Amino acid sequence: MKRRYPSWGRYPRVEQEVVRVGWRCDPFPGDALAGKTALPRGNGRSYGDSCLNDGGVLIDARGLDRFIAFDPATGILRCEAGVLLADILALTVPRGWFIPATPGTQLATVGGAIANDVHGKAHHRDGTFGRHVRRFELLRSDGTRLVCSPTEHPDWYRATIGGLGLTGLILWAELALKPIANPYIAAESIRCEGLDAFFDVSAESDQDYEYTVAWIDCTARGPSLGRGLFARGNHAPEGVTNPPRPPSRSFTFPVELPVSLVNGLTLHAFNRLCYNRQREPRTQSLVHYAPFFYPLDALLEWNRIYGPRGFFQYQCVLPGADGRTAVRELLERIAASREGSFLAVLKIFGDPESPGLLSFPCAGVTLAVDFPNRGQPTLALMESLDGVVRAAGGRLYPAKDARMCGEDFRRAYPAWEQLEALRDPAISSSFWKRMTR
Ligand SMILES: Cc1cc2nc3c(=O)[nH]c(=O)nc-3n(C[C@H](O)[C@H](O)[C@H](O)COP(=O)(O)OP(=O)(O)OC[C@H]3O[C@@H](n4cnc5c(N)ncnc54)[C@H](O)[C@@H]3O)c2cc1C
């Protein structure tokens, strides 16, 4: 079947066949490949080309959507790999359990979360998603099935977590959830007037807060460079007397616009408005978990605002003490370029080791910024940012990437050859071909 199945950034546009797997289907559709390579696909929430397979076949694994077992006494959940994080939370939150490492969307699947070893606001405490995966079953194209855990087929376990879907099709996974008393978060929002304030508040928060992240105004310059709103929070304890209302249903952005809504005119206005929506230095509130973790999910298909050319997300991590200087340099270049958008996020990653061979996070500061695709000027800006990241010994996140050069990838992820050795010969992706040619 020919369908578009774009990535979240809607760039690049590719031609690929799609086959669906799921209940009563042959789980690895070898016959349909006709000599082409295949790539498992979750819910397409990766921004770049790691979930695309130009000229090949996508195996749409959303049909693997059944829960297998859940023990409300221990919080151990086993489900198929196409189950959405949103479905897990709908089942487990009322029973007092939460996903320990969740990304900024609950519309990712378990398979996608494993394959990118995703991270979230709790990275400094709980590390990546893969740390909470006890085991999973991997189906290879030759029909071999491997149950993988830190002690069973440990090489496959490490290669598949953060393995970009290249080692085989994950059929199901067993996750260890964390206990909560209710669905609410005791949240604080702190106005930071510049980058130094962000680092100070971060350092002061890591000890006492499970969740930290900052939205920043990527247009601000001079002493205001890096100004923003720092969000931190903890799961609320028992005994909430006045619970906030659960969020109302999501809206869908109705059409693909002919041009991007994010441009020089709207960029400054958006950012100023977002920063100034909070006048007080600090606010406290009790909020439902959904708007705290997943504010962007409230507007479905919001990626359409970037128009037909799509957009890039640039996410890097800058390790160690040099990261502070490098992030300043990145923000200066972004603000001077007048590119960027309303979505720019800073977070300090912590020490918990990532279990995957190619996991992205490491201790340091991570910056993520969306850029509407304006062609050459946008690409040139990102190339200049690459120079700063390279010099600081940092790296880019494959789940968000559609354009880094193979040399940078191979330098920053030296274990790529180990992954290549364990890659299923029938599986590849646009990203992998681009990085390894
Ligand atoms: C609004 C938004 C916020 C986000 N915030 C974060 C964040 O805070 N942190 C973060 O880390 N990421 C974040 N992301 C990125 C997203 O969490 C990841 O890209 C995630 O992997 C997407 O999962 P998916 O199910 O959509 O998988 P897809 O994007 O479809 O695929 C991702 C990878 O998983 C592989 N895969 C999927 N299913 C299987 C399977 N069954 N077996 C083997 N491989 C499989 C694919 O081959 C591909 O390599 C965000 C994305 C959005 C849109």
Side-chain angles (χ1 to χ4, degrees), residues 183-184 240-249 286-292:
Y184 309 115
V240 166
T241 45
N242 252 335
R245 285 224 311 260
S248 45
R249 75 182 178 86
L286 189 67
V287 290
H288 190 268
Y289 73 82
F292 182 78

Side-chain angles (χ1 to χ4, degrees), residues 195 216-227 263-264 267-268 271-272 314 326-341 343-344 367 369-371 374 377 381-382 384-385 388:
L195 200 52
I216 56 163
D217 171 357
C218 66
T219 64
R221 303 176 75 172
S224 299
L225 187 87
R227 73 179 183 179
N263 55 45
L267 186 60
H268 282 265
N271 277 280
R272 205 169 312 120
Y314 191 89
V327 89
R328 185 175 293 281
E329 176 68 30
L330 292 176
L331 290 176
E332 276 166 4
R333 290 186 189 205
I334 293 167
S337 74
R338 303 179 71 80
E339 300 261 348
S341 79
L343 211 129
L367 170 71
V369 187
D370 285 359
F371 294 111
R374 286 193 248 276
L381 168 67
M382 289 189 286
S384 114
L385 304 182
V388 179

Side-chain angles (χ1 to χ4, degrees), residues 264-330:
L265 279 181
T266 56
L267 186 60
H268 282 265
F270 265 141
N271 277 280
R272 205 169 312 120
L273 206 69
C274 287
Y275 180 62
N276 287 323
R277 73 172 189 237
Q278 180 178 322
R279 292 287 179 185
E280 305 86 349
R282 182 176 300 227
T283 61
Q284 291 182 322
S285 55
L286 189 67
V287 290
H288 190 268
Y289 73 82
F292 182 78
F293 289 104
Y294 315 114
L296 292 169
D297 288 347
L299 183 60
L300 300 174
E301 304 204 35
W302 57 262
N303 52 352
R304 291 174 167 180
I305 66 171
Y306 289 99
R309 298 176 80 175
F311 71 110
F312 298 96
Q313 185 170 104
Y314 191 89
Q315 182 170 3
C316 61
V317 59
L318 305 155
D322 289 352
R324 218 170 153 132
T325 318
V327 89
R328 185 175 293 281
E329 176 68 30
L330 292 176

Side-chain angles (χ1 to χ4, degrees), residues 38-113:
L39 179 71
R41 146 127 183 172
N43 204 27
R45 258 50 186 183
S46 299
Y47 283 66
D49 58 357
S50 65
C51 63
L52 300 177
N53 191 17
D54 196 14
V57 178
L58 284 185
I59 303 173
D60 178 349
R62 281 283 283 115
L64 298 170
D65 60 357
R66 287 167 299 170
F67 288 102
I68 300 168
F70 176 56
D71 182 350
T74 60
I76 304 297
L77 170 82
R78 187 184 284 205
C79 65
E80 289 188 325
V83 169
L84 293 176
L85 303 187
D87 296 334
I88 293 181
L89 294 172
L91 173 79
T92 64
V93 168
R95 291 163 178 83
W97 296 94
F98 203 77
I99 299 169
T102 171
T105 177
Q106 52 178 332
L107 301 176
T109 62
V110 168

